[in-house]
Amino acid sequence: MTDKKTVYTPYKGAAGGWGALKSTTKHWLQSENSVRNIHTLLKTNQPNGFDCPGCAWGEKHDPAKIRFCENGAKAVNWEATSRKVDAAFMAQHSVTWLNTQSDYFLEYQGRITEPLRYNPETDHYEAISWQQAFKQISDTLKAQQDPNHVAFYTSGRASNEAAFLYQLFARAYGTNNFPDCSNMCHEASGYALTSSIGIGKGTVDIEDFEHAEAVFVFGQNPGTNHPRMLETLKEVVQGGNKVLSFNPLRERGLERFQNPQSPVEMLSNRSKPTHTNYFCPKIGGDMAVIRGMVKALIDLEKEAQKAGSAVFDHAFIKQHTQGMEDYLEEVKQTPWSNILEQSGLTKEEILYCAQVYADAENVIITWAMGITQHYHSVATIHEIVNLLALRGNLGKKGAGACPVRGHSNVQGDRTMGINERPSAAFLKALEEHFSFSPPTEDGLAVVDTIHAMKNGQVKVFIGLGGNFAAATPDTVATEEALINCQLTVQISTKLNRSHLITGKEALILPCLGRTDIDLQESGPQKVTVEDSFSMIHASSGVLDPLSSEMKSEPAIIAGIAEATLGKAPINWLESISDYNIIREHIAAVIPGFKDFNQRILQDGGFYLGNSARERNWNTPSGKAIIHKHGLPESILPKGVKDLLSNKTLVLQTLRSHDQYNTTIYGMNDRYRGIKNERRVVFINPADIQRLGFTEGQKVTLKSLWVDGVERKVEGFILVPYSIPMGNIATYYPETNPLVPLDSTGEFSNTPTSKSIAIELEEYRESIQVLST
Ligand SMILES: Nc1nc2c(c(=O)[nH]1)N[C@H]1C(S)=C(S)[C@@H](COP(=O)(O)OP(=O)(O)OC[C@H]3O[C@@H](n4cnc5c(=O)[nH]c(N)nc54)[C@H](O)[C@@H]3O)O[C@H]1N2
Ligand SMILES: Nc1nc2c(c(=O)[nH]1)N[C@H]1C(S)=C(S)[C@@H](COP(=O)(O)OP(=O)(O)OC[C@H]3O[C@@H](n4cnc5c(=O)[nH]c(N)nc54)[C@H](O)[C@@H]3O)O[C@H]1N2
Ligand SMILES: [Mo]
């Protein structure tokens, strides 16, 4: 049994503060590039610097400010290392051996500095020239009988320029197969917002937070994942306004914040609260919370009417919405007992939330993965929109919907056309500008791509960044799918699992990252990205690349495209000589990018605009659609209903403070008090007792799913934690083997990685028996 104290000691400090400063310094020194990197860090999110490769939170325009946070600094130092993975490194380590190493070990080995081809005979990667690599890919692509045999994956760090070229190439080749990280992330937000307010993006900008009287934060952990958001929340609280946070875990990083850039706060060791109230609903209980709030608002409205006033914004509802009456009827029919049972909150708590909402003139609702990775995520986000619409909190200053995006350019990639279901208008614009007929049939998203690779329909996988093998659900099934491919190509900065789970043939193409100087024929290039607030701005690297054998993402795409399609529909190699050429194409095809090249010259970039913010609803009826859904019977996907027992727990998989998705920077999770360990289960102490376990005991987690396949992970340590009974949490990606491939969200098809039915069993450590 493990001594729990070695793993878990509650953290007493605030988010940010000295803890953050210490950690930033440690990661900076460990990069083995410290002198170079301090210069680099100071260029983060600055006018002539690069966009932070961390999260997608936006910036207020303030040139005097240092614009990076602890986790942004980790991301920068991680990329700007001096360690190299090249053919010499690969000669020393077989792929089979590397595959026994941890995700942390793999990425820690450094930047990939030359193109590599897998040799199955020796089980090693070997050097290959760029020309040979492009030829191998183009020969394979040209040999496919159907372009839909190829899938083009994108991770959300790709710049607008890279994403635009990538989708152009794939469509000119003939497919809409664009699985992307968004399918596992904010897909439900995109779907729910498009189907209700006619645009799949948030409606607020950073300035709106200055005018909000209440901010509701659902299902996110900004202390770790969007640290710069804490400062914004702190300012809202300081302004005398309300911040209500909803999270099943008591997240230290959401409770108090000490600004590392404020000498007064640092020297006096004082911190400021980032919320006025903190509620702990059950996992998946947010829709019930909001339903309860609306139910309470209906009563408040009745009372107000008696007094001759109103709580609802009737003018807005009448002029701008469709379906409100039906929805309110549905809410009236939902019994309080269901609401309280599913939400896990008390009626008093919900009434309080409703009163705060009713009292505030302007309200913003933010959310992230705690909302989007469930079976009923789309229904929950519709419910959020409905709540906002009731008081006209859409398209007015200080109010609106704010899905807080993950990857730094995941939103931009979608704007550029990375979408397996492109709109007819987008395809028409491509056709008119480039004079070719893009494919019109829907392509494959992540989960369908895995199925298609497994059954041989997709034979070639190309990944523009990311770590498909580790980030996707059902690891065993996903690995089988990748191994089944004829060719897997990974365009990457760092070594990861996806390089080791190869198709019959495999290539690694090393690319430049955000921090690197991207030198092309016309000189150093900038790229552009879009943040969560639809601000488009330029990013230029500041470091000399570690090797001349690394290419930029646009150059790699252009190289593959030229080898496959020749000079059609554009002269690919010419387009990368100066990225202004790519941006001119973007300006011609995508609405909102007129004069793109001029507008990115202005500091802070430009605002893309948002139709819903202007109260223009791009829906069939021209109004915001108020959807009604019944509260789900159970928050678990329907399939598992018959398998549940009183031993079943609901598992959510989340991020530690020392990771960026599948990139593991270290083994600690400071705010949650975890040290040197990632294989932990956060669990309510009463559940530990109820299930007959003890704190610190190791367990096996098994997930329940209809297909009868055994999905398990072993040797996880039970850590008592402030989490509702019946709920547990573990880190991703270690527990991805538990997420059944077909357990996906309704409408979004996003893996339900925040609600998995689990049973725990005692783990017996295997005893080494020597056979000789
Ligand atoms: N440093 C760092 N920054 C990142 C990332 C990273 O890995 N590291 N990842 C980036 C990416 S791609 C993304 S998408 C974002 C992710 O940002 P987050 O969404 O903050 O990421 P998670 O760690 O998945 O955290 C989910 C939070 O939701 C809570 N939660 C889980 N289930 C529920 C629920 O049912 N209801 C409610 N109310 N809360 C729930 C969890 O307790 C946890 O606090 O961050 C981005 N930024
Ligand atoms: N169980 C569970 N699964 C999840 C989630 C969860 O909460 N729980 N979250 C989901 C979410 S929100 C997301 S967004 C996905 C993330 O899925 P991905 O985006 O596929 O994964 P990352 O871990 O961000 O990818 C890391 C790799 O990207 C490469 N890389 C880094 N920078 C660059 C660059 O600039 N260019 C290129 N070409 N490559 C680069 C490096 O080689 C690195 O190893 O995971 C999803 N999976
Ligand atoms: Mo994400």
Side-chain angles (χ1 to χ4, degrees), residues 181-182 184-186 369 373 405-407 410 655 661 732:
C181 70
S182 196
M184 299 177 272
C185 184
H186 266 293
M369 297 302 102
Q373 296 175 335
R405 298 280 163 174
H407 264 302
V410 62
R655 292 152 172 81
N661 299 338
Y732 128 81

Side-chain angles (χ1 to χ4, degrees), residues 221 225 247 251 284 286 369 374 652 655 659 661 754:
N221 183 24
N225 298 313
N247 199 307
E251 297 284 25
D286 307 271
M369 297 302 102
H374 296 288
Q652 60 141 321
R655 292 152 172 81
Q659 78 182 82
N661 299 338
K754 294 283 190 283

